[in-house]
Amino acid sequence: MSGYTAHFKVWRGDVKGGDLEDFKVEVNDGEVVLDIIHRLQATQAPDLAVRWNCKAGKCGSCSAEINGRPRLMCMTRMSVFTPEETITVTPLRAFPVVRDLVTNVGFNYQKAREVPAFVPPPDLGPGEYRMMQEDVDRSQEFRKCIECFLCQDTCHVVRDHEENKTAFAGPRFLMRVAELDMHPLDAAEESGLDRKKTAQDEHGLGYCNITKCCTEVCPEGIKITDNALIPLKERAVDRKYDPLVWLGSKIRRRST
């Protein structure tokens, strides 16, 4: 498509409030939304605040909501919109606005600190870790996360209920718990840490009702719901309600 003039509505404001501001801006072939935001900064709104870094879909910095959908601005091509379409760009709704398109995502770093780290096996030293390739493959998908926090933003448990933030870690960090729980070398249980129980009691796994909205917005295509959250829920339920699993855990604990 050759160059044309697009109609943009961009949210301008700060913690005290703000509103959408109209812009007419030039669009050229092959451009993405972040290109247009940069052109607005260069030509019409030099004080427009926006967070970005790599412009390659790998840093997760330029997260925003484009026509109401959480997306990376650098990965949203202008070719997916028609020239007549009004394109609205707003900050992530689930997090407090700092200014314009920049939000305070500190909530996510707080939740990251609450997830206990990998516990090394006590009988193995550095360089002695060995895993089956299928175990590596199982959790490798989750390591693709670029922490754009689009899944956190779109999750309605966080998005629509501010009061849930204290008790709910959100899909990104429940995925991290699931990754550690399925890690064959993680010795958390031997050290007295039950990741399935903490997922339920401390990270709010029960709040998730598997609508898959987190998976739908993930720019890395991680199947957060199907491959992390649902299996974690199943293991947590087995641990709590399956009488054979419960008995087995008691026997192991007593013998230890």
Side-chain angles (χ1 to χ4, degrees):
M1 184 186 295
S2 58
Y4 66 95
T5 299
H7 180 199
F8 265 67
K9 285 180 173 288
V10 181
W11 197 89
R12 305 296 308 277
D14 54 27
V15 67
K16 298 176 183 177
D19 209 343
L20 292 170
E21 189 172 327
D22 288 279
F23 296 96
K24 295 288 188 179
V25 60
E26 177 188 355
V27 176
N28 299 314
D29 287 348
E31 291 187 321
V32 295
V33 170
L34 186 59
D35 290 319
I36 310 306
I37 295 298
H38 284 165
R39 183 166 294 126
L40 286 177
Q41 286 182 314
T43 60
Q44 302 180 51
D47 61 339
L48 174 63
V50 59
R51 184 182 284 131
W52 72 283
N53 187 27
C54 74
K55 202 174 181 289
K58 291 301 175 185
C59 73
S61 300
C62 65
S63 299
E65 298 194 6
I66 302 171
N67 287 357
R69 182 181 176 86
R71 297 172 180 259
L72 292 178
M73 289 189 284
C74 72
M75 298 299 287
T76 305
R77 294 197 168 276
M78 289 300 299
S79 58
V80 303
F81 308 107
T82 64
E84 299 78 22
E85 192 171 352
T86 297
I87 301 166
T88 303
V89 185
T90 55
L92 299 178
R93 197 180 102 186
F95 308 114
V97 170
V98 176
R99 187 162 71 87
D100 299 338
L101 301 179
V102 177
T103 54
N104 180 352
V105 294
F107 160 80
N108 300 290
Y109 300 112
Q110 173 191 335
K111 293 302 178 182
R113 288 191 292 268
E114 293 174 3
V115 177
F118 171 77
V119 179
D123 55 338
L124 296 177
E128 296 178 344
Y129 295 175
R130 298 292 183 270
M131 292 172 57
M132 297 292 290
Q133 184 60 45
E134 60 185 352
D135 289 325
V136 175
D137 294 339
R138 189 181 184 199
S139 61
Q140 189 67 27
E141 175 188 13
F142 310 138
R143 302 305 292 266
K144 296 192 299 180
C145 175
I146 60 175
E147 298 207 325
C148 59
F149 304 129
L150 294 181
C151 64
Q152 298 284 91
D153 178 63
T154 199
C155 177
H156 61 275
V157 179
V158 175
R159 185 181 181 90
D160 299 330
H161 303 280
E162 182 70 23
E163 69 277 9
N164 288 341
K165 285 186 176 181
T166 56
F168 184 63
R172 191 277 170 267
F173 300 106
L174 286 171
M175 180 175 72
R176 173 63 175 157
V177 174
E179 176 194 342
L180 290 169
D181 186 55
M182 65 177 62
H183 198 302
L185 295 179
D186 182 58
E189 288 207 17
E190 288 82 345
S191 65
L193 172 64
D194 187 339
R195 294 196 187 277
K196 289 171 276 293
K197 187 175 189 304
T198 58
Q200 194 81 3
D201 298 346
E202 300 176 20
H203 305 302
L205 179 62
Y207 284 81
C208 170
N209 55 12
I210 57 176
T211 57
K212 301 190 181 184
C213 51
C214 52
T215 298
E216 290 174 3
V217 300
C218 178
E220 286 293 321
I222 303 171
K223 293 181 171 58
I224 304 171
T225 310
D226 288 343
N227 293 350
L229 304 188
I230 290 177
L232 182 60
K233 277 177 170 284
E234 290 172 344
R235 294 194 298 273
V237 168
D238 283 347
R239 174 59 58 91
K240 191 166 185 177
Y241 297 110
D242 188 310
L244 294 179
V245 173
W246 177 86
L247 181 60
S249 68
K250 294 296 183 183
I251 292 173
R252 283 198 303 272
R253 191 175 304 161
R254 185 170 299 171
S255 63
T256 301

